[in-house]
């Protein structure tokens, strides 16, 4: 039996700032929030999404697959979710792995079992029958393709996560793909596998089809109780006035069309992509929350204008614990890039920002932020992304130094827990304020530590976009 996922909404601790449902023609009310990464990924989206999930009934992962790693620090221990939405971690929510995802069924089955074993699979779990499957052959193909690029020209290698994401999305677009629904019908699965294998000529060391078919059918059988058509489930939920949180994976600057192509992932990790990846219509969306780290990181290859390859970058990597949650690769680190953030804000239509990891910058005297680029021809760039990655690689970042704030020791964190935004050090407020003014988007959340609850909400009285927010916080 598929899980019902139709309990009445029981959101706890609804924010008085953001929760007011919007009346819709026809009498229904709705609350759809979208959370997406505003940089190159790893902005601590998992932490922010987990906290927002407390106010949602459904939390839907809308894209990507096992390339993502959402890390959540629970009192019981750390969880890294790869293919599950963080909705599965709360008793009050239904976590949906949505239609825009590419899921690796064998790894997904293991991820569920592992959470169950730890007693952390608390919410319901639903898997979209329309999601595509990442197969073992896609993983082989992904590695083979990136090695091929590297052999032809080392500078062209993408440094993918080698989880098969690109080839799986390519097969989806090419209509060769295998969907979750196919895993439940062994004869169809076999036919589609044979068709797909027929297209993979020239790729060495593909796993044998018989073994793969058996493994997939077995994983499909174990996943079957969770599989359903998720769009009608969400439409019905909205009609009942229940709230839905769309959880983007990867991040805006990795978008296949609007990121630093070709150094991107193969999906649309933007707010528009979250709608395509869930089947919800745009008019339902009330809020788009962009998650940005107080500095910038990137894993894999591609242009990164504010990267610091010296001591400062090393400091950010060490203090920020900047290693990939999925691949364990050290992340490239640099300062906050307001050009990229302004671009992401325009692209996604952020209604607010969540700025994370501000604790990592604590104790620095001054903090450089990149306010614009100067291009080789002398022109300046403030809020667009040069179309060609080569051009972005040649951009010279222009920095402004903002005053630093003291380290956030345990006592300072305790005050933040108790008093909220008013306990933010004034230089930190100033930093956040500059972000709001420069991007035209208010800061609604500030993450000051990895743990659940280590987030400050900016209280009501939020200023108009682009206006100073400091006055509103000192209240
Ligand atoms: P793919 O998504 O595995 O194809 O990798 C393409 C590029 O996106 C590589 O540079 C990856 O490191 C990067 N990437 C993919 N997913 C994430 C993510 O969740 N966080 C950070 N980088 C990612």
């Amino acid at each position: 039996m598929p899980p019902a996922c139709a309990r009445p909404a029981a959101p706890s601790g609804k924010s008085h700032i953001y929760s007011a449902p919007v009346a819709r023609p026809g009498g229904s009310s709705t609350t759809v929030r979208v959370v997406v990464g505003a940089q190159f990924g790893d902005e601590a989206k998992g932490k922010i999404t987990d906290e927002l999930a407390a106010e949602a009934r459904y939390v839907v992962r809308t894209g990507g697959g096992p390339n993502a790693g959402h890390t959540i620090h629970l009192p019981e221990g750390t969880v890294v979710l790869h293919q599950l939405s963080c909705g599965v971690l709360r008793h009050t929510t239904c976590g949906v792995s949505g239609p825009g995802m590419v899921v690796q069924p064998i790894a997904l089955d293991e991820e569920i079992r592992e959470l169950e074993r730890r007693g952390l699979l608390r919410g319901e779990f639903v898997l979209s029958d329309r999601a595509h499957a990442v197969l073992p052959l896609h993983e082989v193909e992904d590695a083979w393709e990136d090695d091929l690029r590297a052999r032809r020209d080392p500078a062209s290698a993408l440094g993918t996560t080698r989880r098969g994401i690109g080839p799986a999305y390519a097969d989806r677009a090419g209509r060769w793909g295998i969907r979750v629904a196919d895993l439940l019908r062994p004869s169809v699965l076999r036919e589609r596998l044979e068709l797909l294998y027929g297209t993979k000529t020239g790729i060495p060391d593909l796993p044998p089809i018989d073994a793969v078919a058996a493994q997939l059918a077995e994983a499909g059988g174990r996943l079957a109780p969770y599989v359903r058509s998720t769009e009608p489930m969400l439409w019905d939920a909205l009609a009942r006035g229940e709230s839905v949180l769309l959880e983007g994976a990867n991040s805006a600057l990795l978008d296949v069309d609007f990121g630093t192509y070709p150094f991107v992932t193969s999906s649309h990790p933007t707010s528009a992509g979250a709608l395509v990846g869930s089947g919800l219509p745009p008019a339902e969306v009330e809020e788009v929350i962009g998650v940005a780290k107080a500095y910038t990181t990137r894993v894999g290859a591609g242009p990164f204008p504010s990267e610091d390859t010296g001591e400062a970058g090393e400091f950010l990597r060490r203090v920020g614990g900047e290693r990939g949650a999925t691949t364990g690769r050290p992340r490239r680190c640099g300062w906050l890039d307001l050009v990229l953030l302004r671009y992401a804000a325009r692209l996604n239509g952020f209604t607010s920002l969540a700025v994370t990891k501000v604790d990592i910058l604590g104790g620095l005297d001054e903090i450089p932020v990149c306010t614009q680029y100067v291009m080789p021809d002398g022109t300046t760039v403030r809020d667009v992304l040069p179309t060609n990655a080569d051009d972005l690689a040649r951009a010279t970042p222009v920095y402004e130094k903002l005053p630093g704030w003291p380290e956030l020791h345990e006592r300072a964190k305790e005050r933040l827990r108790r008093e909220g935004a008013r306990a933010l050090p004034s230089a930190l407020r100033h930093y956040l304020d500059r972000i709001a003014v420069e991007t035209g988007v208010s800061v609604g959340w500030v993450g000051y530590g990895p743990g659940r609850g280590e987030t400050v909400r900016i209280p009501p009285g939020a200023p108009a976009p682009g206006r100073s927010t400091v006055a509103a916080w000192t209240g």
Side-chain angles (χ1 to χ4, degrees):
M1 276 286 289
C5 247
R7 284 196 307 247
S12 59
K14 267 201 150 188
S15 153
H16 53 291
I17 318 175
Y18 291 107
S19 62
V22 173
R24 298 278 166 198
S28 70
S29 62
T30 183
T31 310
V32 176
R33 280 172 154 175
V34 181
V35 183
V36 289
Q39 296 159 318
F40 293 107
D42 311 308
E43 301 93 348
K45 272 190 305 295
K47 171 195 159 68
I48 297 294
T49 311
D50 170 62
E51 300 203 7
L52 294 172
E55 301 169 11
R57 174 69 192 103
Y58 293 86
V59 187
V60 188
R61 261 283 303 272
T62 55
N67 54 348
H70 290 179
T71 306
I72 298 148
H73 297 273
L74 300 175
E76 301 85 350
T78 298
V79 181
V80 185
L81 298 175
H82 293 287
Q83 307 194 72
L84 291 170
S85 130
C86 69
V88 301
L89 298 176
R90 291 182 186 265
H91 293 289
T92 50
T93 45
C94 174
V96 181
S97 294
M101 288 186 69
V102 287
V103 295
Q104 211 287 18
I106 303 159
L108 176 60
D109 180 46
E110 281 164 12
E111 193 172 334
I112 296 166
R113 305 294 150 226
E114 171 64 9
L115 267 194
E116 259 176 351
R117 193 188 59 69
R118 295 176 66 187
L120 296 173
L121 192 69
R122 294 173 173 147
E124 292 149 274
F125 166 56
V126 173
L127 171 60
S128 166
D129 54 1
R130 291 182 192 271
H132 275 248
V134 184
L135 307 180
L137 68 78
H138 289 133
E139 291 160 14
V140 173
E141 193 177 356
D142 193 1
W144 176 76
E145 280 180 353
D146 222 24
D147 288 345
L148 190 69
R149 286 191 189 97
R151 276 199 304 277
R152 294 248 165 105
D153 171 10
S156 71
L158 306 180
T160 74
T161 60
R162 302 192 165 218
R163 297 293 192 271
I165 306 300
Y169 275 118
D171 283 334
R172 181 180 83 162
R175 279 78 46 90
W176 301 106
I178 291 176
R179 301 196 294 180
V180 165
D182 301 327
L183 301 177
L184 311 187
R185 300 180 298 167
S187 61
V188 175
L189 173 62
R190 179 75 201 198
E191 267 173 41
R192 300 220 35 106
L193 267 178
E194 279 174 12
L195 255 183
L196 182 62
Y197 264 76
T199 67
K200 306 288 175 187
T201 48
I203 305 172
D205 305 323
L206 290 184
I209 188 167
D210 289 340
V212 168
Q215 275 180 327
L216 289 175
E218 198 187 322
R222 281 201 297 267
L223 292 171
Y226 305 107
V227 175
R228 66 184 288 184
S229 179
T230 55
E231 314 78 71
M233 179 184 85
L234 297 174
W235 299 331
D236 291 349
L238 291 179
R240 289 192 298 271
E242 294 179 345
S243 52
V244 175
L245 181 64
L246 302 183
E247 173 185 3
N250 323 117
S251 279
L253 298 168
L254 297 175
D255 184 278
V256 67
D257 284 323
F258 300 105
T260 54
Y261 192 88
F263 302 96
V264 291
T265 191
S266 300
S267 63
H268 293 289
T270 48
S271 54
L275 294 173
V276 179
S278 61
L280 294 187
E284 302 284 4
V285 174
E286 278 180 56
E287 280 186 73
V288 180
I289 299 157
V291 186
K293 207 152 26 185
Y295 49 98
T296 312
T297 62
R298 175 166 202 161
V299 259
F304 179 178
S306 68
E307 180 174 19
D308 188 305
T309 52
E311 262 177 45
E314 188 47 45
F315 165 84
L316 294 170
R317 191 158 34 251
R318 180 171 46 78
V319 179
E322 298 295 352
R323 270 185 183 276
T326 296
T327 58
R329 289 181 289 179
R331 294 177 185 145
R332 300 157 63 194
C333 295
W335 302 112
L336 184 66
D337 185 333
L338 288 168
V339 180
L340 296 183
L341 204 50
R342 288 186 201 107
Y343 171 72
R346 299 173 85 194
L347 180 64
N348 290 281
F350 295 146
T351 55
S352 55
L353 284 170
V355 179
T356 61
K357 298 190 86 163
V358 299
D359 50 321
I360 305 306
L361 301 184
L364 298 177
D365 292 338
E366 290 181 319
I367 303 169
V369 294
C370 166
T371 54
Q372 58 181 338
Y373 304 148
V374 177
M375 305 307 288
D377 65 1
T379 55
T380 56
V381 171
R382 280 182 55 81
D383 56 9
V384 292
L385 189 76
T387 303
N388 299 313
D390 292 355
D391 291 337
L392 185 59
R394 283 194 285 269
T396 304
V398 176
Y399 292 100
E400 186 180 329
K401 287 188 175 160
L402 298 182
W405 51 90
E407 262 183 76
L408 299 178
H409 293 303
E410 200 36 51
R411 268 184 57 198
K413 289 190 173 183
E414 183 48 45
R415 269 199 66 207
L416 283 165
R417 269 190 284 276
R418 242 187 5 251
E419 297 174 30
R422 80 179 54 189
L424 290 168
S426 62
L428 172 52
R429 279 195 220 151
H430 176 65
Y431 190 80
L432 298 168
D433 199 36
R434 269 306 288 277
I435 295 176
V437 171
E438 295 283 343
T439 58
V441 183
S442 306
V443 176
W445 290 264
V446 184
Y448 60 86
R452 203 182 235 182
E454 289 188 308
T455 306
V456 156
R457 284 203 166 190
I458 305 304
R467 299 285 304 281
S468 169
T469 51
V470 171
W473 301 352
T474 47

